[in-house]
Amino acid sequence: MSRHKNIKSIIQDSYYDDDYYNDYGEEYGQEVYGTEEEIKEQKRFDKLKKKAKKQPQCDEKVVQEIVIQFGNFFTYDQVKQTLIANQNDRLKTQADLKFKESKEFDSFLIINLDTLKKKNKDNIKQVNQEKKKKEEEEKKMMTKEEEEFKQYEIQLLKKEKSMNQDDQIDHKVLNQIYPDVQYADANLIQAIDEDNKTINLVIIGHVDSGKSTLMGHILFKLGRIDKQHMHKIEKISDQYGKSSFKFAYVLDEGEEERRRGVTINVGQSYFQTEKRQFVILDAPGHQDYVPNMISGASQADCAILVVEGIRQEFLRGFIGGSTKEHAILARSLGVTQLVVAVNKLDMVEWSEDAYNEIINHVQPFLLQIGFRQDNISFVPISGLNGTNLIEKPTSLPELTSWYTGPSLIEYLDQLKVPKRNIYKPLRVCLYDYYKGTEGNLIGDCVQAKVESGIIKEKDHLLLQPYNIMVTIKAIEASNQLIKYAAPGTLCDISLHLPSSFDPNYLKSGNVICDPKYPIHQVKEFRCQIVVFDIEIPITRGQPVTVYSFSNRVSGRISKLESVVNPKTGESIKKNPRCLMKNQTAIVHIKLEEKTCMELFSNYRTLGRATLRDGQRTLAAGINIELGQKQLPL
Ligand SMILES: Nc1nc2c(ncn2[C@@H]2O[C@H](COP(=O)(O)OP(=O)(O)OP(=O)(O)O)[C@@H](O)[C@H]2O)c(=O)[nH]1
């Protein structure tokens, strides 16, 4: 390296030996000198060099400060500014002599350059060594985390296995625990077990992604809507000036829903395939109706997540919209199997790239929030055109040239029917009350889901939290009267109520149960939660709305007990002052009224809670202790 250059390039040259780039990946030397200018500078340099010999040596302290301040990258101007700002005595004297403006200042730098260079080289070495050390540590941490994650997965699998064994428990054993439970006779239980092919399927996704259109079209294609009725719906959608919503109108039956072209309530319908019976719950996608979406998802076993195939629309739903929140909520409400329908691909000429890009965004996210790889499938479709919904397309080379996998309905047929809690004490969760005036059910009726046990006509059962006995008059599922309803069944029930009871008190969150083993009623519970992607940390006293199966009740977080390791459950920090996003923690929640609740360890579907605050979902978790003594199991 020649010294016969201008000062800037000399200082810059001192880095070229070791590291050409700074920490931000920018090149150090950015000034380029033309020949003429360079010659001029060289002449000036020679002059300065002569004068420099007479100048005082740069103070060691000054050099050190420069190195400390600029680390392994600094420019001529930065050095100059530092020297000027330096309060060193010698410089002050020089400043008196207008040193900083004089040409001698440059020579002052030159003669100290060797010291600077040396210091700088040492510094670069040190920085590089530290960088290397840090990288190695990060690598080690990553491997450790991967290892821990694997261990955690193994633990989860073990736990799930033991839980499944728990589902298959011999009812003789259970009779010892709940000796007085009136189980149905063995033949009926066997029949129910063999008949267990119903799946409750919720359709989730960002607003306008095409959920209702997709389901409406499936129902039409499977003959659940006859042509005459479809024609009528088509006419109505034309009248509203929303002809593209004709299939959505099949499920969106409310006046406001049709006028606005937005789903508000959870639309329910059902269809049958070769292997399965599906009850479908069409959830609203709009942010304002998340509570209704939660109500739909809490009844479901599996979900179809609809995402748009158009890049911008997809990103709108995925980054700022409801796609992620719906997926997280579904998972935390107990949905484990998911089919991702990449919709509206007709709008992008069935682009394989668009489809793959969406998978690349969605798949890692779903794995991260706890879905297992073998429980997620992706399928390209057009809900509006009906493409790849039931039968695979035969004359669409834009799609068939790259996609040869199953159609949406074929994926649905592959979903596993979850194990049901036939042998546990009866729990029937109410979702709504209405007065039946025609058809099979007359009088006081409720919409409900059987979570465990078997409910039969004429059963005399306990209604909580009101502590009154009710009689089952009739049960209807999928528009047909049935004599009994097994766990997993979404049904309508007509009730005989005591004359002193006002039926208007019946509401979502009430539970019909076995009088000998009533559901717990609590005003306080302990919950292990995972905090969502929130901006403001959760503190003690945080008001929340608690959603737990069909319950929706106000309360507040009364205690932040501890932050725990999500993998091991061990406490990391006791009594934290606040909870940040993605932390796992144990909290206590106080409710405004007595509420029916269960432990996660007793009833997996009932023992979950989701916490919301106004418009945001804050956390979801499992109930680990209720405010009273626990039953066994
Ligand atoms: N081109 C095209 N348009 C579609 C497709 N699916 C739905 N749409 C249109 O997208 C709009 C919204 O459809 P909806 O079915 O109401 O969407 P949604 O997700 O149910 O909406 P919310 O329930 O209100 O969240 C309508 O104009 C549909 O015609 C599709 O596959 N291709």
Side-chain angles (χ1 to χ4, degrees):
M1 179 175 60
S2 160
R3 273 200 173 203
H4 297 278
K5 284 185 176 180
N6 62 64
I7 295 169
K8 284 184 193 176
S9 36
I10 291 168
I11 294 176
Q12 283 154 4
D13 272 351
S14 65
Y15 316 112
Y16 291 174
D17 299 343
D18 297 280
D19 199 346
Y20 200 77
Y21 299 93
N22 67 22
D23 281 358
Y24 307 101
E26 295 157 351
E27 247 175 79
Y28 290 124
Q30 285 169 1
E31 310 276 341
V32 182
Y33 289 85
T35 339
E36 223 176 280
E37 204 177 333
E38 207 169 66
I39 294 164
K40 236 184 182 174
E41 282 287 319
Q42 273 175 13
K43 278 185 185 167
R44 189 169 154 256
F45 174 81
D46 287 341
K47 231 170 149 185
L48 286 172
K49 211 171 131 194
K50 269 185 207 167
K51 280 191 179 177
K53 282 178 189 154
K54 296 170 199 163
Q55 292 298 320
Q57 291 293 300
C58 183
D59 196 314
E60 172 77 359
K61 243 169 100 188
V62 178
V63 176
Q64 254 178 21
E65 263 178 43
I66 292 169
V67 174
I68 288 167
Q69 183 162 350
F70 299 115
N72 63 345
F73 62 100
F74 49 85
T75 63
Y76 171 80
D77 283 338
Q78 283 172 323
V79 175
K80 192 166 175 174
Q81 288 307 319
T82 311
L83 288 173
I84 291 166
N86 197 293
Q87 293 304 300
N88 179 290
D89 281 348
R90 181 172 295 166
L91 277 175
K92 257 187 188 165
T93 328
Q94 299 301 329
D96 289 341
L97 299 167
K98 294 200 174 165
F99 173 71
K100 59 179 184 179
E101 271 127 37
S102 72
K103 286 186 176 165
E104 281 74 25
F105 182 80
D106 287 343
S107 60
F108 175 82
L109 281 181
I110 295 164
I111 56 171
N112 289 293
L113 203 64
D114 278 343
T115 333
L116 266 175
K117 271 175 64 187
K118 191 178 171 308
K119 290 276 172 194
N120 195 46
K121 264 189 183 170
D122 290 348
N123 192 45
I124 288 170
K125 232 183 227 168
Q126 199 187 333
V127 168
N128 281 345
Q129 273 171 0
E130 272 170 21
K131 221 180 189 178
K132 220 175 183 178
K133 209 170 138 194
K134 211 171 149 195
E135 273 171 15
E136 272 166 17
E137 269 171 15
E138 270 174 10
K139 223 176 181 179
K140 260 190 210 162
M141 277 289 288
M142 268 167 71
T143 344
K144 203 175 151 205
E145 268 186 19
E146 268 172 23
E147 193 53 43
E148 274 181 4
F149 189 70
K150 258 188 211 156
Q151 288 299 331
Y152 175 58
E153 270 201 327
I154 293 168
Q155 268 182 24
L156 265 185
L157 280 176
K158 273 189 193 161
K159 207 169 168 190
E160 266 190 17
K161 223 174 163 187
S162 71
M163 291 248 190
N164 284 343
Q165 277 166 5
D166 179 62
D167 284 339
Q168 288 160 7
I169 201 160
D170 184 342
H171 77 268
K172 275 183 205 149
V173 178
L174 261 169
N175 260 332
Q176 289 162 14
I177 303 165
Y178 302 113
D180 299 325
V181 170
Q182 297 290 313
Y183 296 108
D185 63 58
N187 290 341
L188 179 55
I189 286 180
Q190 198 184 343
I192 289 170
D193 247 354
E194 282 166 10
D195 197 34
N196 187 19
K197 57 177 187 179
T198 304
I199 287 180
N200 301 318
L201 184 71
V202 66
I203 325 300
I204 55 175
H206 187 59
V207 64
D208 277 353
S209 52
K211 302 177 288 299
S212 306
T213 301
L214 162 68
M215 280 329 303
H217 210 148
I218 286 187
L219 291 175
F220 176 66
K221 279 194 167 242
L222 290 176
R224 291 275 307 118
I225 314 289
D226 61 48
K227 282 196 175 135
Q228 231 176 344
H229 186 50
M230 193 64 230
H231 188 62
K232 210 170 134 193
I233 292 175
E234 227 170 315
K235 261 183 153 176
I236 299 172
S237 65
D238 283 346
Q239 277 164 14
Y240 278 99
K242 290 193 177 298
S243 51
S244 71
F245 282 81
K246 62 180 179 192
F247 290 114
Y249 275 24
V250 172
L251 284 150
D252 294 344
E253 291 174 318
E255 144 73 20
E256 193 184 347
E257 289 179 317
R258 289 184 166 180
R259 187 172 40 78
R260 290 174 54 196
V262 167
T263 306
I264 297 172
N265 296 309
V266 178
Q268 192 175 321
S269 192
Y270 56 92
F271 64 85
Q272 202 162 347
T273 60
E274 248 175 61
K275 296 183 197 152
R276 304 261 181 272
Q277 237 164 356
F278 289 95
V279 174
I280 52 170
L281 301 147
D282 179 29
H286 197 285
Q287 194 65 27
D288 290 352
Y289 309 118
V290 172
N292 294 355
M293 178 270 162
I294 292 175
S295 163
S298 70
Q299 301 171 60
D301 310 306
C302 306
I304 299 179
L305 172 65
V306 183
V307 294
E308 298 211 26
I310 310 155
R311 193 168 188 277
Q312 282 103 324
E313 302 302 321
F314 164 76
L315 290 176
R316 197 167 299 153
F318 193 69
I319 291 165
S322 314
T323 311
K324 283 186 184 175
E325 188 180 18
H326 277 202
I328 294 172
L329 283 170
R331 182 67 196 91
S332 55
L333 290 163
V335 169
T336 52
Q337 301 172 72
L338 192 71
V339 180
V340 183
V342 183
N343 194 26
K344 303 193 187 180
L345 279 173
D346 56 297
M347 303 270 283
V348 288
E349 278 105 38
W350 298 96
S351 156
E352 185 183 5
D353 287 347
Y355 178 71
N356 286 336
E357 192 188 341
I358 285 159
I359 295 181
N360 290 340
H361 272 95
V362 179
Q363 195 165 34
F365 166 73
L366 294 177
L367 294 174
Q368 190 198 334
I369 61 168
F371 283 98
R372 276 175 28 188
Q373 177 93 48
D374 55 345
N375 282 339
I376 312 168
S377 355
F378 288 86
V379 57
I381 58 152
S382 165
L384 188 65
N385 298 350
T387 314
N388 210 23
L389 297 186
I390 314 289
E391 64 285 338
K392 286 184 227 168
T394 46
S395 55
L396 188 64
E398 297 98 308
L399 173 64
T400 48
S401 59
W402 58 268
Y403 183 81
T404 50
S407 67
L408 175 61
I409 212 88
E410 285 169 343
Y411 270 125
L412 296 182
D413 250 351
Q414 290 169 18
L415 293 172
K416 288 163 262 179
V417 183
K419 287 253 174 285
R420 309 291 187 188
N421 278 329
I422 301 178
Y423 303 109
K424 283 187 179 169
L426 184 80
R427 301 283 185 261
V428 181
C429 304
L430 308 197
Y431 279 84
D432 208 358
Y433 163 77
Y434 63 94
K435 203 98 182 159
T437 50
E438 54 180 357
N440 293 324
L441 306 181
I442 307 283
D444 296 316
C445 299
V446 287
Q447 281 178 357
K449 182 185 177 193
V450 184
E451 281 295 344
S452 63
I454 296 159
I455 187 169
K456 303 186 290 305
E457 263 182 359
K458 300 192 182 84
D459 272 352
H460 203 46
L461 300 164
L462 182 69
L463 173 70
Q464 291 293 59
Y466 307 116
N467 217 20
I468 56 162
M469 294 300 285
V470 297
T471 307
I472 307 304
K473 275 172 35 186
I475 311 169
E476 190 186 77
S478 306
N479 287 346
Q480 281 179 357
L481 276 177
I482 49 175
K483 295 253 173 270
Y484 63 86
T489 311
L490 300 180
C491 52
D492 285 49
I493 302 169
S494 59
L495 298 170
H496 182 77
L497 299 163
S499 54
S500 56
F501 181 75
D502 179 354
N504 290 314
Y505 280 113
L506 285 174
K507 62 173 184 183
S508 190
N510 297 167
V511 179
I512 296 173
C513 53
D514 185 330
K516 299 217 172 64
Y517 298 101
I519 190 164
H520 303 275
Q521 289 179 69
V522 295
K523 276 196 90 174
E524 189 171 1
F525 67 107
R526 216 168 138 242
C527 191
Q528 178 167 327
I529 57 166
V530 177
V531 181
F532 285 9
D533 200 0
I534 51 169
E535 277 159 24
I536 305 164
I538 297 175
T539 49
R540 192 161 67 91
Q542 166 80 54
V544 286
T545 307
V546 179
Y547 295 83
S548 181
F549 55 95
S550 56
N551 269 309
R552 179 183 172 178
V553 56
S554 300
R556 66 186 168 85
I557 298 181
S558 56
K559 186 175 176 181
L560 307 180
E561 185 184 300
S562 57
V563 176
V564 296
N565 181 330
K567 287 150 197 168
T568 61
E570 272 171 46
S571 166
I572 301 171
K573 191 174 182 195
K574 289 227 178 308
N575 303 318
R577 292 181 66 175
C578 62
L579 300 177
M580 317 292 281
K581 65 177 174 185
N582 303 331
Q583 277 185 327
T584 303
I586 293 176
V587 296
H588 295 210
I589 297 163
K590 275 204 169 129
L591 302 169
E592 278 177 8
E593 56 193 87
K594 265 200 170 177
T595 305
C596 296
M597 287 218 147
E598 281 295 357
L599 286 176
F600 180 72
S601 54
N602 280 1
Y603 289 89
R604 294 183 85 185
T605 42
L606 302 181
R608 298 173 188 272
T610 304
L611 312 181
R612 296 197 92 230
D613 150 35
Q615 291 291 301
R616 302 167 306 155
T617 303
L618 302 175
I622 53 173
N623 306 343
I624 53 176
E625 198 178 321
L626 304 177
Q628 66 184 80
K629 207 172 176 298
Q630 311 305 324
L631 278 171
L633 262 187

